[in-house]
Amino acid sequence: MSVRAENLRWRAGGKLIVDEVSLSVETGQVLGLLGPNGSGKSSLLRLLAGLRRPEGGRILLDDTDIARLPRRALARQVALVRQHSATDTNMSVREIVRLGRTPHRAALSGWSVADERAVETALAQTGMAARAGQGWQSLSGGERQRTHIARALAQQPTTMFLDEPTNHLDIHHQIELLGLVRRLGLTSIIALHDLNHAAMFCDRVLVLQDGHAVASGTPANVLTESLLAHVFKVACRVTTVPGQDWPHIVFLPPDMARDRAPGQVRTAG
């Protein structure tokens, strides 16, 4: 299912947090949301997931405005993996993943064969089947993140939004998690901090700055030295590695950043 946002605006406390942002993601593509802290990535994801109502603009799943969809119907199509998801209880992995079936179940309805199949499939897809009976408190950070993705997959969505899912994970689990999202084949939008990970795993990227979209396109076209200097205030070299079709960013020391003036920035489009 494709996702399209047109001229989204949203403010909090009188401040405009998302300012006329538009984007388009084709079915099965992965879009990376990039930008410094406070650029509006998390707020934009919550708008796209229907958790907040924009004060202007609209969001379309295929050709349907999500404002016209009942919340339960939207939850059957869209899943959000939040940045900070925790629980004080020691629920098992299976119990947490079963929560993903809520949008598909009527009040007082029993657990169905379809529900069980969806949970088992989600556990298998995320490599958590062997941990299904394990308690939440005993899981590693990577296992907890995979459990949350399994819960999202149990919804059987067509579209998944992930808010910085690799935060606080070691490098092995970061790459493993992003590889999993890529292999799922869902239409996905992921807020990321690591620019090289975005280049490796995303078909397209959208760069935000102070709530504005300042660049959009393939990683190779967007992640230029001049844009990174302008938006992220870093000096770098953008290189290519034989045998790979994504750019690799080599960051330079701060004293070199002061010596390098930012160049022209590619506009969104």
Side-chain angles (χ1 to χ4, degrees):
M1 178 169 287
S2 65
V3 179
R4 189 166 78 251
E6 300 174 347
N7 306 115
L8 291 182
R9 294 191 314 279
W10 183 79
R11 71 181 68 232
K15 180 182 178 181
L16 199 56
I17 306 298
V18 177
D19 188 3
E20 298 291 336
V21 172
S22 298
L23 60 84
S24 179
V25 191
E26 297 303 318
T27 301
Q29 280 192 336
V30 178
L31 173 73
L33 291 183
L34 308 177
N37 286 339
S39 59
K41 300 187 298 294
S42 295
S43 296
L44 177 57
L45 281 178
R46 280 155 177 74
L47 290 172
L48 294 172
L51 298 183
R52 292 173 176 166
R53 184 178 295 275
E55 72 171 49
R58 63 176 184 163
I59 301 142
L60 303 173
L61 296 179
D62 284 341
D63 295 320
T64 302
D65 190 330
I66 69 169
R68 300 177 181 175
L69 289 173
R71 183 159 295 276
R72 180 178 290 269
L74 182 61
R76 291 172 180 167
Q77 299 183 56
V78 171
L80 173 66
V81 178
R82 298 173 183 270
Q83 182 176 348
H84 301 293
S85 297
T87 176
D88 292 330
T89 63
N90 200 29
M91 298 173 67
S92 71
V93 168
R94 186 182 301 278
E95 288 170 330
I96 291 170
V97 176
R98 282 168 66 106
L99 295 174
R101 296 302 299 162
T102 302
H104 296 272
R105 302 179 65 224
L108 304 179
S109 65
W111 191 255
S112 70
V113 172
D115 292 326
E116 190 63 27
R117 186 181 300 116
V119 168
E120 293 301 324
T121 299
L123 288 167
Q125 284 178 308
T126 54
M128 291 302 292
R131 301 276 195 275
Q134 196 166 324
W136 172 261
Q137 304 299 341
S138 68
L139 300 178
S140 69
E143 289 167 344
R144 291 184 179 190
Q145 289 291 57
R146 291 207 307 271
T147 299
H148 285 305
I149 292 177
R151 174 181 172 175
L153 291 176
Q155 291 178 228
Q156 296 182 309
T158 59
T159 303
M160 187 158 60
F161 303 127
L162 303 99
D163 190 2
E164 298 183 9
T166 57
N167 268 10
H168 312 303
L169 300 184
D170 59 42
I171 187 64
H172 167 74
H173 286 111
Q174 290 176 29
I175 293 174
E176 184 181 66
L177 189 68
L178 293 173
L180 166 64
V181 172
R182 180 78 187 183
R183 291 192 302 273
L184 290 172
L186 297 175
T187 305
S188 301
I189 301 179
I190 315 175
L192 290 169
H193 269 306
D194 192 303
L195 303 178
N196 279 309
H197 286 171
M200 290 172 64
F201 293 103
C202 297
D203 298 298
R204 297 174 60 83
V205 295
L206 176 72
V207 180
L208 298 175
Q209 184 178 34
D210 298 325
H212 300 277
V214 297
S216 177
T218 65
N221 288 335
V222 170
L223 299 178
T224 63
E225 295 174 9
S226 59
L227 180 134
L228 299 180
H230 178 81
V231 175
F232 295 94
K233 314 303 179 190
V234 294
C236 64
R237 295 285 187 270
V238 179
T239 65
T240 57
V241 176
Q244 70 182 37
D245 57 0
W246 62 85
H248 178 70
I249 303 163
V250 179
F251 295 100
L252 304 177
D255 57 336
M256 298 187 69
R258 288 191 293 270
D259 295 337
R260 288 171 59 85
Q264 297 298 313
V265 177
R266 184 185 304 274
T267 58

PDB file of all heavy atoms in Angstrom, residues 4-33:
ATOM      1  N   ARG A   4       1.007   8.605   1.000  1.00  0.00           N
ATOM      2  CA  ARG A   4       1.268   9.948   0.493  1.00  0.00           C
ATOM      3  C   ARG A   4       0.794  10.978   1.512  1.00  0.00           C
ATOM      4  O   ARG A   4      -0.321  10.864   2.042  1.00  0.00           O
ATOM      5  CB  ARG A   4       0.557  10.169  -0.849  1.00  0.00           C
ATOM      6  CG  ARG A   4       0.978  11.472  -1.522  1.00  0.00           C
ATOM      7  CD  ARG A   4       0.549  11.532  -2.973  1.00  0.00           C
ATOM      8  NE  ARG A   4      -0.853  11.854  -3.147  1.00  0.00           N
ATOM      9  CZ  ARG A   4      -1.789  11.025  -3.549  1.00  0.00           C
ATOM     10  NH1 ARG A   4      -1.477   9.754  -3.804  1.00  0.00           N
ATOM     11  NH2 ARG A   4      -3.034  11.404  -3.697  1.00  0.00           N
ATOM     12  N   ALA A   5       1.634  11.929   1.809  1.00  0.00           N
ATOM     13  CA  ALA A   5       1.278  13.041   2.694  1.00  0.00           C
ATOM     14  C   ALA A   5       1.387  14.333   1.896  1.00  0.00           C
ATOM     15  O   ALA A   5       2.345  14.516   1.125  1.00  0.00           O
ATOM     16  CB  ALA A   5       2.192  13.090   3.909  1.00  0.00           C
ATOM     17  N   GLU A   6       0.412  15.192   2.090  1.00  0.00           N
ATOM     18  CA  GLU A   6       0.371  16.445   1.332  1.00  0.00           C
ATOM     19  C   GLU A   6       0.289  17.625   2.284  1.00  0.00           C
ATOM     20  O   GLU A   6      -0.680  17.781   3.032  1.00  0.00           O
ATOM     21  CB  GLU A   6      -0.842  16.455   0.388  1.00  0.00           C
ATOM     22  CG  GLU A   6      -0.824  15.321  -0.633  1.00  0.00           C
ATOM     23  CD  GLU A   6      -2.099  15.272  -1.468  1.00  0.00           C
ATOM     24  OE1 GLU A   6      -3.083  15.962  -1.091  1.00  0.00           O
ATOM     25  OE2 GLU A   6      -2.123  14.532  -2.473  1.00  0.00           O
ATOM     26  N   ASN A   7       1.370  18.426   2.307  1.00  0.00           N
ATOM     27  CA  ASN A   7       1.388  19.709   3.020  1.00  0.00           C
ATOM     28  C   ASN A   7       0.939  19.598   4.477  1.00  0.00           C
ATOM     29  O   ASN A   7       0.099  20.362   4.948  1.00  0.00           O
ATOM     30  CB  ASN A   7       0.519  20.731   2.287  1.00  0.00           C
ATOM     31  CG  ASN A   7       0.912  20.874   0.826  1.00  0.00           C
ATOM     32  OD1 ASN A   7       0.131  20.539  -0.072  1.00  0.00           O
ATOM     33  ND2 ASN A   7       2.118  21.338   0.576  1.00  0.00           N
ATOM     34  N   LEU A   8       1.522  18.646   5.205  1.00  0.00           N
ATOM     35  CA  LEU A   8       1.133  18.439   6.598  1.00  0.00           C
ATOM     36  C   LEU A   8       1.649  19.566   7.482  1.00  0.00           C
ATOM     37  O   LEU A   8       2.808  19.985   7.386  1.00  0.00           O
ATOM     38  CB  LEU A   8       1.685  17.109   7.106  1.00  0.00           C
ATOM     39  CG  LEU A   8       1.095  15.828   6.522  1.00  0.00           C
ATOM     40  CD1 LEU A   8       1.724  14.615   7.190  1.00  0.00           C
ATOM     41  CD2 LEU A   8      -0.421  15.801   6.688  1.00  0.00           C
ATOM     42  N   ARG A   9       0.783  20.020   8.377  1.00  0.00           N
ATOM     43  CA  ARG A   9       1.151  21.000   9.398  1.00  0.00           C
ATOM     44  C   ARG A   9       0.636  20.523  10.748  1.00  0.00           C
ATOM     45  O   ARG A   9      -0.488  20.018  10.847  1.00  0.00           O
ATOM     46  CB  ARG A   9       0.558  22.384   9.104  1.00  0.00           C
ATOM     47  CG  ARG A   9       1.095  23.048   7.862  1.00  0.00           C
ATOM     48  CD  ARG A   9       0.668  24.519   7.798  1.00  0.00           C
ATOM     49  NE  ARG A   9      -0.739  24.716   8.090  1.00  0.00           N
ATOM     50  CZ  ARG A   9      -1.724  24.542   7.218  1.00  0.00           C
ATOM     51  NH1 ARG A   9      -1.452  24.167   5.984  1.00  0.00           N
ATOM     52  NH2 ARG A   9      -2.981  24.752   7.565  1.00  0.00           N
ATOM     53  N   TRP A  10       1.467  20.708  11.781  1.00  0.00           N
ATOM     54  CA  TRP A  10       1.048  20.365  13.140  1.00  0.00           C
ATOM     55  C   TRP A  10       1.867  21.204  14.106  1.00  0.00           C
ATOM     56  O   TRP A  10       3.063  21.419  13.901  1.00  0.00           O
ATOM     57  CB  TRP A  10       1.268  18.877  13.414  1.00  0.00           C
ATOM     58  CG  TRP A  10       0.790  18.457  14.770  1.00  0.00           C
ATOM     59  CD1 TRP A  10      -0.492  18.206  15.154  1.00  0.00           C
ATOM     60  CD2 TRP A  10       1.596  18.257  15.929  1.00  0.00           C
ATOM     61  NE1 TRP A  10      -0.538  17.861  16.480  1.00  0.00           N
ATOM     62  CE2 TRP A  10       0.728  17.866  16.980  1.00  0.00           C
ATOM     63  CE3 TRP A  10       2.970  18.347  16.187  1.00  0.00           C
ATOM     64  CZ2 TRP A  10       1.193  17.598  18.268  1.00  0.00           C
ATOM     65  CZ3 TRP A  10       3.433  18.072  17.459  1.00  0.00           C
ATOM     66  CH2 TRP A  10       2.549  17.698  18.477  1.00  0.00           C
ATOM     67  N   ARG A  11       1.202  21.715  15.145  1.00  0.00           N
ATOM     68  CA  ARG A  11       1.911  22.536  16.119  1.00  0.00           C
ATOM     69  C   ARG A  11       1.615  22.062  17.527  1.00  0.00           C
ATOM     70  O   ARG A  11       0.589  21.419  17.794  1.00  0.00           O
ATOM     71  CB  ARG A  11       1.561  24.016  15.958  1.00  0.00           C
ATOM     72  CG  ARG A  11       0.164  24.425  16.378  1.00  0.00           C
ATOM     73  CD  ARG A  11      -0.064  25.917  16.133  1.00  0.00           C
ATOM     74  NE  ARG A  11      -0.089  26.235  14.721  1.00  0.00           N
ATOM     75  CZ  ARG A  11       0.663  27.189  14.149  1.00  0.00           C
ATOM     76  NH1 ARG A  11       1.502  27.900  14.886  1.00  0.00           N
ATOM     77  NH2 ARG A  11       0.577  27.425  12.862  1.00  0.00           N
ATOM     78  N   ALA A  12       2.516  22.385  18.449  1.00  0.00           N
ATOM     79  CA  ALA A  12       2.337  22.072  19.866  1.00  0.00           C
ATOM     80  C   ALA A  12       2.817  23.269  20.674  1.00  0.00           C
ATOM     81  O   ALA A  12       3.901  23.810  20.410  1.00  0.00           O
ATOM     82  CB  ALA A  12       3.119  20.819  20.247  1.00  0.00           C
ATOM     83  N   GLY A  13       2.001  23.688  21.641  1.00  0.00           N
ATOM     84  CA  GLY A  13       2.362  24.832  22.464  1.00  0.00           C
ATOM     85  C   GLY A  13       2.586  26.095  21.667  1.00  0.00           C
ATOM     86  O   GLY A  13       3.421  26.933  22.018  1.00  0.00           O
ATOM     87  N   GLY A  14       1.852  26.234  20.573  1.00  0.00           N
ATOM     88  CA  GLY A  14       1.981  27.420  19.737  1.00  0.00           C
ATOM     89  C   GLY A  14       3.132  27.372  18.748  1.00  0.00           C
ATOM     90  O   GLY A  14       3.259  28.254  17.904  1.00  0.00           O
ATOM     91  N   LYS A  15       3.972  26.336  18.836  1.00  0.00           N
ATOM     92  CA  LYS A  15       5.119  26.227  17.932  1.00  0.00           C
ATOM     93  C   LYS A  15       4.802  25.258  16.810  1.00  0.00           C
ATOM     94  O   LYS A  15       4.293  24.160  17.043  1.00  0.00           O
ATOM     95  CB  LYS A  15       6.356  25.735  18.700  1.00  0.00           C
ATOM     96  CG  LYS A  15       7.584  25.597  17.821  1.00  0.00           C
ATOM     97  CD  LYS A  15       8.769  25.062  18.609  1.00  0.00           C
ATOM     98  CE  LYS A  15       9.995  24.883  17.718  1.00  0.00           C
ATOM     99  NZ  LYS A  15      11.155  24.335  18.467  1.00  0.00           N
ATOM    100  N   LEU A  16       5.127  25.646  15.578  1.00  0.00           N
ATOM    101  CA  LEU A  16       4.907  24.796  14.420  1.00  0.00           C
ATOM    102  C   LEU A  16       5.994  23.724  14.387  1.00  0.00           C
ATOM    103  O   LEU A  16       7.179  24.025  14.205  1.00  0.00           O
ATOM    104  CB  LEU A  16       4.921  25.627  13.143  1.00  0.00           C
ATOM    105  CG  LEU A  16       4.279  25.020  11.893  1.00  0.00           C
ATOM    106  CD1 LEU A  16       2.828  24.631  12.147  1.00  0.00           C
ATOM    107  CD2 LEU A  16       4.364  25.994  10.726  1.00  0.00           C
ATOM    108  N   ILE A  17       5.605  22.470  14.591  1.00  0.00           N
ATOM    109  CA  ILE A  17       6.551  21.360  14.674  1.00  0.00           C
ATOM    110  C   ILE A  17       6.734  20.680  13.321  1.00  0.00           C
ATOM    111  O   ILE A  17       7.830  20.267  12.965  1.00  0.00           O
ATOM    112  CB  ILE A  17       6.072  20.321  15.706  1.00  0.00           C
ATOM    113  CG1 ILE A  17       5.806  20.985  17.060  1.00  0.00           C
ATOM    114  CG2 ILE A  17       7.073  19.190  15.843  1.00  0.00           C
ATOM    115  CD1 ILE A  17       7.019  21.615  17.683  1.00  0.00           C
ATOM    116  N   VAL A  18       5.646  20.527  12.582  1.00  0.00           N
ATOM    117  CA  VAL A  18       5.680  19.968  11.225  1.00  0.00           C
ATOM    118  C   VAL A  18       5.114  21.037  10.300  1.00  0.00           C
ATOM    119  O   VAL A  18       3.966  21.457  10.460  1.00  0.00           O
ATOM    120  CB  VAL A  18       4.866  18.668  11.134  1.00  0.00           C
ATOM    121  CG1 VAL A  18       4.858  18.141   9.703  1.00  0.00           C
ATOM    122  CG2 VAL A  18       5.431  17.613  12.089  1.00  0.00           C
ATOM    123  N   ASP A  19       5.913  21.481   9.342  1.00  0.00           N
ATOM    124  CA  ASP A  19       5.578  22.672   8.563  1.00  0.00           C
ATOM    125  C   ASP A  19       5.552  22.364   7.067  1.00  0.00           C
ATOM    126  O   ASP A  19       6.590  22.293   6.404  1.00  0.00           O
ATOM    127  CB  ASP A  19       6.599  23.765   8.861  1.00  0.00           C
ATOM    128  CG  ASP A  19       6.235  25.101   8.241  1.00  0.00           C
ATOM    129  OD1 ASP A  19       5.158  25.211   7.619  1.00  0.00           O
ATOM    130  OD2 ASP A  19       7.034  26.046   8.375  1.00  0.00           O
ATOM    131  N   GLU A  20       4.334  22.104   6.552  1.00  0.00           N
ATOM    132  CA  GLU A  20       4.119  21.908   5.116  1.00  0.00           C
ATOM    133  C   GLU A  20       4.975  20.766   4.551  1.00  0.00           C
ATOM    134  O   GLU A  20       5.603  20.887   3.496  1.00  0.00           O
ATOM    135  CB  GLU A  20       4.410  23.202   4.348  1.00  0.00           C
ATOM    136  CG  GLU A  20       3.512  24.371   4.704  1.00  0.00           C
ATOM    137  CD  GLU A  20       2.070  24.170   4.253  1.00  0.00           C
ATOM    138  OE1 GLU A  20       1.843  23.400   3.319  1.00  0.00           O
ATOM    139  OE2 GLU A  20       1.180  24.818   4.850  1.00  0.00           O
ATOM    140  N   VAL A  21       4.975  19.631   5.228  1.00  0.00           N
ATOM    141  CA  VAL A  21       5.768  18.483   4.796  1.00  0.00           C
ATOM    142  C   VAL A  21       4.938  17.598   3.873  1.00  0.00           C
ATOM    143  O   VAL A  21       3.808  17.228   4.193  1.00  0.00           O
ATOM    144  CB  VAL A  21       6.263  17.656   6.004  1.00  0.00           C
ATOM    145  CG1 VAL A  21       6.920  16.357   5.532  1.00  0.00           C
ATOM    146  CG2 VAL A  21       7.238  18.480   6.839  1.00  0.00           C
ATOM    147  N   SER A  22       5.506  17.257   2.735  1.00  0.00           N
ATOM    148  CA  SER A  22       4.895  16.317   1.796  1.00  0.00           C
ATOM    149  C   SER A  22       5.868  15.171   1.545  1.00  0.00           C
ATOM    150  O   SER A  22       7.090  15.362   1.566  1.00  0.00           O
ATOM    151  CB  SER A  22       4.563  16.997   0.468  1.00  0.00           C
ATOM    152  OG  SER A  22       3.616  18.032   0.647  1.00  0.00           O
ATOM    153  N   LEU A  23       5.313  13.981   1.313  1.00  0.00           N
ATOM    154  CA  LEU A  23       6.152  12.828   0.996  1.00  0.00           C
ATOM    155  C   LEU A  23       5.322  11.799   0.249  1.00  0.00           C
ATOM    156  O   LEU A  23       4.092  11.837   0.275  1.00  0.00           O
ATOM    157  CB  LEU A  23       6.763  12.208   2.263  1.00  0.00           C
ATOM    158  CG  LEU A  23       5.820  11.679   3.346  1.00  0.00           C
ATOM    159  CD1 LEU A  23       5.342  10.256   3.069  1.00  0.00           C
ATOM    160  CD2 LEU A  23       6.515  11.710   4.703  1.00  0.00           C
ATOM    161  N   SER A  24       6.014  10.871  -0.393  1.00  0.00           N
ATOM    162  CA  SER A  24       5.341   9.802  -1.126  1.00  0.00           C
ATOM    163  C   SER A  24       6.201   8.547  -1.048  1.00  0.00           C
ATOM    164  O   SER A  24       7.415   8.602  -1.283  1.00  0.00           O
ATOM    165  CB  SER A  24       5.133  10.203  -2.588  1.00  0.00           C
ATOM    166  OG  SER A  24       4.503   9.162  -3.306  1.00  0.00           O
ATOM    167  N   VAL A  25       5.568   7.427  -0.685  1.00  0.00           N
ATOM    168  CA  VAL A  25       6.261   6.144  -0.591  1.00  0.00           C
ATOM    169  C   VAL A  25       5.454   5.124  -1.373  1.00  0.00           C
ATOM    170  O   VAL A  25       4.270   4.912  -1.096  1.00  0.00           O
ATOM    171  CB  VAL A  25       6.412   5.668   0.880  1.00  0.00           C
ATOM    172  CG1 VAL A  25       7.361   4.482   0.943  1.00  0.00           C
ATOM    173  CG2 VAL A  25       6.898   6.797   1.770  1.00  0.00           C
ATOM    174  N   GLU A  26       6.082   4.473  -2.330  1.00  0.00           N
ATOM    175  CA  GLU A  26       5.401   3.476  -3.126  1.00  0.00           C
ATOM    176  C   GLU A  26       5.290   2.156  -2.352  1.00  0.00           C
ATOM    177  O   GLU A  26       6.017   1.916  -1.390  1.00  0.00           O
ATOM    178  CB  GLU A  26       6.146   3.252  -4.440  1.00  0.00           C
ATOM    179  CG  GLU A  26       6.198   4.476  -5.345  1.00  0.00           C
ATOM    180  CD  GLU A  26       4.812   5.001  -5.695  1.00  0.00           C
ATOM    181  OE1 GLU A  26       3.920   4.162  -5.982  1.00  0.00           O
ATOM    182  OE2 GLU A  26       4.614   6.223  -5.671  1.00  0.00           O
ATOM    183  N   THR A  27       4.361   1.315  -2.781  1.00  0.00           N
ATOM    184  CA  THR A  27       4.141   0.024  -2.133  1.00  0.00           C
ATOM    185  C   THR A  27       5.428  -0.779  -2.059  1.00  0.00           C
ATOM    186  O   THR A  27       6.121  -0.959  -3.064  1.00  0.00           O
ATOM    187  CB  THR A  27       3.081  -0.775  -2.910  1.00  0.00           C
ATOM    188  OG1 THR A  27       1.864  -0.030  -2.956  1.00  0.00           O
ATOM    189  CG2 THR A  27       2.820  -2.122  -2.239  1.00  0.00           C
ATOM    190  N   GLY A  28       5.774  -1.230  -0.853  1.00  0.00           N
ATOM    191  CA  GLY A  28       6.957  -2.052  -0.646  1.00  0.00           C
ATOM    192  C   GLY A  28       8.254  -1.297  -0.476  1.00  0.00           C
ATOM    193  O   GLY A  28       9.290  -1.900  -0.181  1.00  0.00           O
ATOM    194  N   GLN A  29       8.245   0.023  -0.621  1.00  0.00           N
ATOM    195  CA  GLN A  29       9.456   0.809  -0.457  1.00  0.00           C
ATOM    196  C   GLN A  29       9.739   1.098   1.016  1.00  0.00           C
ATOM    197  O   GLN A  29       8.843   1.076   1.859  1.00  0.00           O
ATOM    198  CB  GLN A  29       9.356   2.142  -1.200  1.00  0.00           C
ATOM    199  CG  GLN A  29       9.615   2.069  -2.687  1.00  0.00           C
ATOM    200  CD  GLN A  29       9.783   3.447  -3.300  1.00  0.00           C
ATOM    201  OE1 GLN A  29       9.307   4.457  -2.786  1.00  0.00           O
ATOM    202  NE2 GLN A  29      10.474   3.490  -4.434  1.00  0.00           N
ATOM    203  N   VAL A  30      11.008   1.399   1.309  1.00  0.00           N
ATOM    204  CA  VAL A  30      11.430   1.840   2.640  1.00  0.00           C
ATOM    205  C   VAL A  30      11.918   3.273   2.534  1.00  0.00           C
ATOM    206  O   VAL A  30      12.841   3.575   1.760  1.00  0.00           O
ATOM    207  CB  VAL A  30      12.557   0.951   3.199  1.00  0.00           C
ATOM    208  CG1 VAL A  30      13.006   1.470   4.567  1.00  0.00           C
ATOM    209  CG2 VAL A  30      12.095  -0.500   3.317  1.00  0.00           C
ATOM    210  N   LEU A  31      11.279   4.167   3.292  1.00  0.00           N
ATOM    211  CA  LEU A  31      11.663   5.582   3.330  1.00  0.00           C
ATOM    212  C   LEU A  31      12.309   5.865   4.681  1.00  0.00           C
ATOM    213  O   LEU A  31      11.742   5.532   5.730  1.00  0.00           O
ATOM    214  CB  LEU A  31      10.444   6.484   3.147  1.00  0.00           C
ATOM    215  CG  LEU A  31      10.702   7.993   3.337  1.00  0.00           C
ATOM    216  CD1 LEU A  31      11.490   8.546   2.155  1.00  0.00           C
ATOM    217  CD2 LEU A  31       9.393   8.760   3.497  1.00  0.00           C
ATOM    218  N   GLY A  32      13.482   6.488   4.674  1.00  0.00           N
ATOM    219  CA  GLY A  32      14.145   6.885   5.901  1.00  0.00           C
ATOM    220  C   GLY A  32      13.884   8.351   6.196  1.00  0.00           C
ATOM    221  O   GLY A  32      14.062   9.203   5.320  1.00  0.00           O
ATOM    222  N   LEU A  33      13.446   8.641   7.431  1.00  0.00           N
ATOM    223  CA  LEU A  33      13.294  10.016   7.895  1.00  0.00           C
ATOM    224  C   LEU A  33      14.562  10.411   8.646  1.00  0.00           C
ATOM    225  O   LEU A  33      14.929   9.772   9.637  1.00  0.00           O
ATOM    226  CB  LEU A  33      12.093  10.156   8.831  1.00  0.00           C
ATOM    227  CG  LEU A  33      10.697   9.998   8.255  1.00  0.00           C
ATOM    228  CD1 LEU A  33       9.658  10.252   9.346  1.00  0.00           C
ATOM    229  CD2 LEU A  33      10.467  10.938   7.079  1.00  0.00           C
TER     230      LEU A  33
END
